[in-house]
């Protein structure tokens, strides 16, 4: 397993181009199944989770052609409707391929995706929604076998505005008869991007970005090209890298509308933020001020930046409280940060963080994608050398993170 080695204490200054959004690319790649033809995608991030999605598509018969700045996906020869177990286990969000397979071929077989380091991550809302759409689900030996004659529109109320369940309902009901209404739908920008993509293909979906989405089934979807939106979590991550090192970082190709709650908290912590079209510049104070964070479904503070902001707060002046309202165990990174001298106490869904200037380099282990990114943040400011193991977690979601940080002055390299 590879490691990051970071020499802390360097102020980060310079420009970073934000890549395409992982969490928009994944459902959109699943959506290419629906037109049974060719789709050309631009601004797809070159990260492990996207490559896993490509592996699944190739395994069921699709072809993927990677060109310099675009990816051509041909799903005309899909002949298998089962997601291989080893690939399901590699990435939980592969469950959205099921929605697309059912939407296009009225069948899908997939194994129950296990939980991971941030919580149980059940798929009960996905399965209940499929059944509401008239899909029969047989559960055998840990596998879900889904079948339907046709998709008939219906009303679905989600107990929780689940991003994945909202995406799966849209993918399953885009081609079909009648109208499906999702109440209490997730409002994340990545869902808006998926809806924009499907409507460009000929879908009839209204309510993007609201908690009520209306999908009118169509007969056919056509071949298109599409440009994936920028990654809002990557953008927040690099702003926080600038903030924790007292630096001056400018993001290019970012969308400030997608991270307003994060920008507000950085301003509250005494960072200076200036926005000019798709550029966001952060100028950090010598030491940020403690602030409290509560994660919420969009448009609230994103759970995916909880750990990364937590690393920043471990160096802040004062005491902060984080409340994680989305996942039940998204604090695995805390024990690793505390090995570096952070003073964080987890009590249930909350973490109390006493800011300190004495963060020191240590040997730490990434526990998940965003928890690993939090360790990089701490390593950037730590006194001495930090070694982070299990960086495969981090490489799942951040394109060229080592080079992007090096370009703005970080002393970081990979040791295999
Ligand atoms: C998506 O995961 C993102 N992943 C996550 O980002 C993100 O943290 C999450 O949305 C919340 O914003 C992708 O888009 C690929 P949910 P998803 O369904 O769809 C519970 C990252 O770091 N729930 O909105 O799995 C669930 O347990 C990743 O990029 C059920 O109980 O999230 C959780 O507590 C991590 N039953 C809450 O809802 C269900 O059937 C939110 O989950 C589904 C979800």
């Amino acid at each position: 397993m590879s490691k990051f080695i970071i020499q802390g204490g360097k102020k980060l200054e310079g420009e970073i181009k934000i890549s395409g959004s992982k969490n928009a690319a994944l459902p959109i790649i699943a959506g290419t199944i629906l037109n049974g033809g060719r789709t050309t995608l631009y601004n797809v991030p070159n990260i492990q989770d996207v490559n896993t999605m490509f592996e699944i598509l190739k395994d069921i018969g699709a072809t993927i052609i990677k060109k310099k700045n675009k990816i051509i996906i041909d799903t005309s020869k899909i002949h298998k409707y089962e997601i291989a177990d080893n690939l399901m286990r590699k990435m939980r969000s592969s469950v959205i391929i099921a929605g697309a397979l059912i939407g296009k071929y009225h069948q899908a077989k997939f194994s129950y995706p296990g939980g991971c380091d941030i919580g149980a991550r059940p798929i009960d809302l996905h399965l209940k929604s499929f059944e509401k759409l008239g899909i029969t689900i047989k559960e055998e030996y840990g596998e879900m076998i889904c079948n339907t004659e046709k998709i008939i529109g219906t009303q679905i109320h989600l107990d929780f505005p689940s991003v994945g369940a909202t995406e799966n309902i849209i993918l399953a009901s885009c081609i079909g008869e009648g109208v499906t209404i999702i109440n209490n739908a997730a409002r994340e920008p990545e869902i808006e991007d998926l809806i924009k993509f499907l409507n460009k293909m000929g879908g009839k979906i209204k309510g993007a970005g609201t908690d009520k989405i209306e999908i009118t089934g169509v007969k056919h979807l056509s071949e298109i090209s599409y440009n994936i939106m920028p990654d809002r979590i990557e953008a927040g991550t690099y702003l926080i890298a600038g903030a924790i090192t007292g630096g001056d970082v400018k993001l290019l190709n970012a969308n400030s509308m997608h991270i307003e709650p994060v920008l507000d908290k950085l301003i509250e912590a005494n960072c200076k933020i200036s926005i000019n079209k798709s550029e966001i510049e952060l100028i950090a104070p010598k030491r940020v001020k403690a602030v409290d964070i509560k994660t919420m479904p969009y448009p609230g503070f994103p759970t995916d930046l909880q750990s990364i902001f937590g690393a920043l707060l471990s160096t802040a002046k004062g005491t902060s409280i984080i409340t994680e309202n989305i996942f039940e165990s998204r604090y695995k990174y805390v024990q690793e940060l505390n090995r570096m001298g952070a003073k964080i106490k987890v009590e249930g869904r909350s973490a109390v963080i006493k800011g300190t200037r004495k963060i020191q380099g240590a040997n730490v282990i990434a526990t998940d994608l965003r928890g690993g990114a939090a360790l990089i943040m701490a390593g950037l400011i730590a006194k001495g050398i930090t070694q982070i193991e299990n960086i495969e977690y981090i490489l799942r979601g951040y394109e060229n993170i080592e080079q992007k940080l090096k370009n703005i002055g970080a002393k970081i390299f990979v040791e295999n």
Side-chain angles (χ1 to χ4, degrees), residues 21-24 26-27 49 53 91-96 112 116 118-129 158-167 186 188 190-191 231-233 296-298 301-305 324-330 349 368-371 396-398:
S21 162
K22 166 176 89 80
N23 292 349
L26 296 175
D49 273 7
M53 273 306 228
M91 184 181 64
R92 287 183 36 72
S93 48
S94 37
V95 69
I96 46 175
Y112 200 91
C116 65
I118 59 176
R121 300 187 78 180
I123 56 167
D124 55 313
L125 299 179
H126 299 242
L127 301 178
K128 268 195 299 196
S129 303
L158 288 175
D159 301 348
F160 182 88
S162 154
V163 171
T166 302
E167 290 166 347
E188 273 67 6
E190 293 78 15
I191 292 180
D231 193 313
R232 62 191 171 107
I233 305 302
M296 295 300 278
Y298 194 87
F301 189 96
T303 174
D304 291 347
L305 283 170
E324 170 57 56
N325 292 308
I326 308 293
F327 288 102
E328 69 273 23
S329 68
R330 205 163 193 178
R349 289 263 178 167
D368 58 85
L369 165 57
R370 308 302 178 183
R396 283 185 45 192
Y398 288 97

Side-chain angles (χ1 to χ4, degrees), residues 28 54 63 65 91 95 107 116 155 174 198 202 207 222 234 249 257 266 290 311 337 351 364 384 389 407:
I28 285 171
F54 290 153
T63 50
I65 303 166
M91 184 181 64
V95 69
Q107 58 180 310
C116 65
Q155 288 259 2
C174 198
L198 293 170
S222 50
E234 185 196 23
V249 165
M257 306 269 285
L266 286 166
L337 277 187
V364 289
E389 289 183 42
N407 292 347

Side-chain angles (χ1 to χ4, degrees), residues 265 268 290-294 313 319-322:
K265 283 295 169 186
E268 192 186 328
V291 295
D292 294 342
I293 303 277
K294 283 185 178 22
L313 296 174
T319 299
S320 312
I321 299 179
I322 292 183

